[in-house]
C-alpha cells in the first residue's frame, strides 16, 4: 500500500538504503539495551550496587525496554491500512512524540546518573539567587523538552513542508488556517500549520530562556563546572 501510494517509482537500490537505515537503527537500539542490561546484571551479582542504585538501575533498564516497545508501537501505526483515508501513509505523530520523549528521558536520566557518580556534588550556600537560578534552570529544561516534542509532531505530520519562510509564514505573521480544524484543540496536534507555528514559537522561547538563564547566571558566584555547563548550553542553543 505504501509503495503504490507514495513510492511507486522507487528502485531496489533506494529501497535497500532505507531498509538498511531502519535495520541499523533497530540493531543499534538492541545494542544499547545489552549495554545497559548485561553490565547491570554483572554489577548486581558482584554486589557492587548500593540499595538506591539498584532501584535506579532497574528503572533505567525498564525504560530501555519500554523505549524499544514504543518504537515497535510507533512503526506499527505506519503499516496499518486506513481504507477511509487517502492521506500519505505515515506513523502516528502521537506515537512518534512518545518515542522521542521517552528517548530524551532515558538519555537525560542516564547522563544525570553517570555524572552524579563521577563528579562530587558542590556544597553551595542556599541563597535566594541560587534558588531562583535552579528554578529557572528547571523551567528552561521543561521548555526545551516541550520544544523537542513539538518537533516530533512537525516530523510526524510533515509540517515542515507547509511553510519554508522565516520569520513570517508565507506573507503573514499569523497564517489564516491556524485554527482550520474543529474542535480548536485538535489544531495543536493535527493541523500542520499550527504544529509548525507552535514549534517556531517554542523554539524562539527556548533560545530566549537559555540566553536569559546565561545572563542571570553571570550575576551569581558559581563553581567553574557550573559556568562551563551554562555557557555550553547557550552555545548549543545558538547552534541548534
Amino acid at each position: 500500500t505504501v509503495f503504490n501510494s507514495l513510492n511507486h517509482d522507487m528502485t531496489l537500490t533506494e529501497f535497500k538504503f532505507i531498509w538498511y537505515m531502519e535495520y541499523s537503527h533497530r540493531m543499534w537500539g538492541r545494542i544499547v539495551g545489552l549495554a545497559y542490561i548485561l553490565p547491570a546484571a554483572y554489577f548486581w551479582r558482584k554486589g557492587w550496587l548500593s540499595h538506591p542504585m539498584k532501584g535506579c538501575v532497574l528503572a533505567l533498564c525498564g525504560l530501555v525496554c519500554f523505549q524499544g516497545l514504543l518504537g515497535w508501537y510507533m512503526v506499527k501505526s505506519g503499516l496499518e491500512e486506513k481504507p477511509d483515508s487517502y492521506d500519505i501513509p505515515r506513523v502516528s505523530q502521537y506515537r512518534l512524540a512518545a518515542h522521542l520523549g521517552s528517548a530524551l528521558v532515558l538519555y537525560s536520566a542516564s547522563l544525570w546518573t553517570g555524572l552524579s557518580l563521577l563528579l562530587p556534588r558542590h556544597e553551595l550556600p542556599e541563597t535566594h539567587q541560587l534558588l531562583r537560578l535552579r528554578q529557572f534552570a528547571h523551567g528552561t529544561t521543561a521548555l526545551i523538552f516541550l520544544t523537542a516534542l513539538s518537533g516530533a509532531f512537525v516530523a510526524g505530520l510533515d509540517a515542515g513542508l507547509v511553510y519554508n519562510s522565516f520569520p513570517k509564514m508565507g506573507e503573514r505573521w499569523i497564517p489564516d488556517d491556524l485554527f482550520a480544524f474543529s474542535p480548536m484543540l485538535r489544531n495543536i496536534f493535527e493541523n500542520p500549520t499550527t504544529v509548525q507555528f507552535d514549534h517556531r514559537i517554542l523554539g524562539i522561547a527556548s533560545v530566549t530562556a537559555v540566553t536569559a538563564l546565561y545572563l542571570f547566571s553571570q550575576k551569581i558566584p558559581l563553581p567553574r563546572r557550573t559556568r562551563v555547563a551554562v555557557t555550553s548550553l547557550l552555545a548549543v542553543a545558538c547552534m541548534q
Side-chain angles (χ1 to χ4, degrees):
T1 302
V2 176
F3 179 78
N4 290 330
S5 60
L6 184 60
N7 297 311
H8 54 272
D9 57 345
M10 179 182 287
T11 65
L12 181 60
T13 301
E14 291 171 335
F15 172 78
K16 284 182 177 181
F17 174 77
I18 292 177
W19 190 91
Y20 279 116
M21 287 280 287
E22 175 65 21
Y23 181 76
S24 300
H25 180 69
R26 293 188 180 200
M27 291 302 105
W28 187 256
R30 290 167 185 172
I31 290 171
V32 169
L34 291 176
Y36 263 86
I37 295 171
L38 292 181
Y42 178 76
F43 296 152
W44 193 301
R45 185 175 179 83
K46 284 287 188 178
W48 293 347
L49 301 177
S50 64
H51 186 71
M53 186 53 59
K54 285 182 178 179
C56 187
V57 165
L58 283 177
L60 288 173
C61 288
L63 195 54
V64 167
C65 297
F66 178 69
Q67 172 69 5
L69 182 64
L70 262 183
W72 166 82
Y73 186 60
M74 178 194 71
V75 172
K76 182 175 179 291
S77 68
L79 302 176
E80 295 171 350
E81 291 193 30
K82 305 175 182 67
D84 298 330
S85 174
Y86 298 96
D87 194 11
I88 295 173
R90 56 166 63 95
V91 298
S92 164
Q93 68 270 28
Y94 297 101
R95 300 184 191 184
L96 178 60
H99 189 51
L100 175 64
S102 64
L104 290 173
V105 170
L106 173 61
Y107 177 78
S108 300
S110 303
L111 187 63
W112 185 277
T113 303
L115 291 177
S116 298
L117 292 171
L118 292 173
L119 301 175
R121 182 182 177 91
H122 284 302
E123 296 296 337
L124 301 176
E126 290 290 333
T127 63
H128 178 67
Q129 281 188 318
L130 186 62
L131 181 61
R132 285 184 59 193
L133 179 67
R134 185 179 292 117
Q135 292 172 340
F136 197 176
H138 290 165
T140 303
T141 301
L143 182 59
I144 293 170
F145 182 75
L146 184 62
T147 304
L149 288 190
S150 73
F153 281 89
V154 173
L157 291 171
D158 286 334
L161 303 178
V162 181
Y163 292 96
N164 59 4
S165 57
F166 185 87
K168 290 185 177 181
M169 297 178 71
E171 298 298 320
R172 301 176 64 89
W173 289 101
I174 301 178
D176 292 331
D177 54 342
L178 199 62
F179 300 110
F181 291 13
S182 182
M184 187 176 293
L185 186 63
R186 186 179 159 213
N187 289 279
I188 298 175
F189 305 105
E190 298 181 13
N191 184 340
T193 298
T194 312
V195 165
Q196 191 195 123
F197 181 80
D198 291 344
H199 187 59
R200 290 176 178 224
I201 298 300
L202 286 168
I204 294 169
S206 292
V207 174
T208 304
V210 170
T211 304
L213 180 68
Y214 171 80
L215 294 175
F216 183 60
S217 70
Q218 298 305 298
K219 302 176 182 179
I220 307 173
L222 295 171
R224 180 179 177 277
R225 195 170 75 205
T226 307
R227 292 206 175 279
V228 169
V230 176
T231 304
S232 300
L233 178 63
L234 178 63
V236 171
C238 293
M239 183 172 64
Q240 173 73 1

